[in-house]
Amino acid sequence: MDNTYKLLKNIETLKNVKDEIIREMATKCIVREYKSEETIFLEGDLVEIIYLISKGKAMVSRFSEEGGEKIIHIFDKGHFINEVSIDGRKTSTSVTIMEDSQLIHFKKKDILSWMEKDFNFNLAIIKSISNKLRSSYRQIRNLGLKKINSRIAARLCKLVRDYGYKGEGLISIELNLTQSQLAAMVGSTRESVSRFLKHLEREGIIEQKNQKISILNFEGLKEYT
């Protein structure tokens, strides 16, 4: 219990939650390890567990009627994955682990109980849902108004903000991301993404190595958005 309590106390999302709630959470949650590419749940499942990432990354996606995948979100430490499931409806997304990760499991009824007991916990859930909604709005806007190359550049800029690590003369996106996955984020094909990334490489704006992208000229990248 002590280790789980410390784990929860170190999660930024819960920083304002009452200590008594954190202690109760520690006694009622389950902490589980997951392997890369492991599926947590599928679109259409009825999920009674709310997941919080304590280590690693998870990918949220939807599939079209034709079977094409659209990656909606990538979440890392401190993010709830499916807090919208508190409404009791079937899930509208699928979730897959991107790298070896650790998730904390909470029963939905416990989440609802803590929301009643502590306004700050309630606010943490509301903020989490709000951030997902805002992100979805931005994606809808970009898909509707921007051309393919602009959408790819905008997504790379977003990945830099979320996962960028500054090194000597570059910003490394600390995320193992295939071109197919990037295409699924922007509603394009892998071929279109590959062509544009090669163009950015020739322009000296990015560098690709081992499924990782480094930004050499961030201002140059932003000009394409």
Side-chain angles (χ1 to χ4, degrees):
M1 187 269 196
D2 287 343
N3 288 338
T4 305
Y5 169 76
K6 290 177 182 178
L7 179 66
L8 293 169
K9 287 292 285 186
N10 286 326
I11 293 178
E12 181 71 15
T13 310
L14 305 175
K15 66 177 182 179
N16 295 320
V17 175
K18 292 178 181 178
D19 190 69
E20 63 191 75
I21 299 295
I22 297 292
R23 291 188 181 278
E24 187 177 341
M25 293 171 73
T27 64
K28 292 189 174 183
C29 72
I30 294 174
V31 181
R32 182 182 161 188
E33 306 291 330
Y34 287 85
K35 295 295 184 182
S36 177
E37 300 185 7
E38 191 170 349
T39 298
I40 305 303
F41 56 79
L42 295 172
E43 186 175 340
D45 288 348
L46 185 61
V47 181
E48 295 296 329
I49 299 297
I50 306 299
Y51 299 92
L52 176 64
I53 302 175
S54 52
K55 183 179 68 176
K57 296 180 179 67
M59 177 175 67
V60 181
S61 62
R62 291 199 66 178
F63 290 87
S64 68
E65 293 182 359
E66 294 77 25
E69 184 180 24
K70 173 67 173 72
I71 296 175
I72 304 171
H73 303 291
I74 294 176
F75 295 131
D76 57 5
K77 180 182 177 180
H79 285 90
F80 285 100
I81 293 177
N82 64 320
E83 69 283 13
V84 294
S85 294
I86 58 175
D87 65 3
R89 299 183 180 184
K90 292 181 179 181
T91 62
S92 56
T93 58
S94 300
V95 174
T96 306
I97 296 299
M98 292 191 70
E99 61 185 37
D100 290 354
S101 300
Q102 183 185 75
L103 304 186
I104 307 173
H105 298 203
F106 303 102
K107 291 181 179 179
K108 184 172 64 177
K109 65 180 182 65
D110 290 331
I111 292 287
L112 290 170
S113 173
W114 298 324
M115 290 176 71
E116 289 181 358
K117 292 177 181 177
D118 185 2
F119 174 77
N120 284 328
F121 184 83
N122 191 28
L123 191 59
I125 296 296
I126 292 172
K127 284 182 177 180
S128 183
I129 294 174
S130 176
N131 287 336
K132 289 179 174 64
L133 190 59
R134 291 175 186 275
S135 176
S136 296
Y137 284 158
R138 286 194 296 269
Q139 290 188 50
I140 292 170
R141 180 196 62 196
N142 290 342
L143 286 172
L145 299 178
K146 293 186 175 183
K147 295 182 179 179
I148 293 297
N149 288 354
S150 294
R151 299 207 301 259
I152 298 169
R155 176 54 61 169
L156 289 175
C157 288
K158 176 68 164 57
L159 292 173
V160 165
R161 290 191 292 271
D162 291 344
Y163 304 108
Y165 176 81
K166 290 185 178 181
E168 294 184 4
L170 55 79
I171 304 173
S172 176
I173 299 175
E174 295 298 299
L175 195 66
N176 290 326
L177 193 67
T178 67
Q179 292 182 356
S180 295
Q181 288 173 329
L182 183 56
M185 289 180 180
V186 299
S188 181
T189 64
R190 188 197 64 78
E191 291 75 17
S192 295
V193 168
S194 178
R195 282 196 298 271
F196 184 57
L197 292 181
K198 287 178 181 177
H199 169 75
L200 293 177
E201 278 194 301
R202 289 194 296 269
E203 293 293 311
I205 293 174
I206 70 166
E207 178 180 87
Q208 299 182 85
K209 187 176 182 181
N210 298 329
Q211 290 189 352
K212 286 195 175 182
I213 299 174
S214 296
I215 312 301
L216 307 177
N217 182 354
F218 187 61
E219 293 303 316
L221 178 64
K222 288 198 295 185
E223 290 180 5
Y224 283 92
T225 62

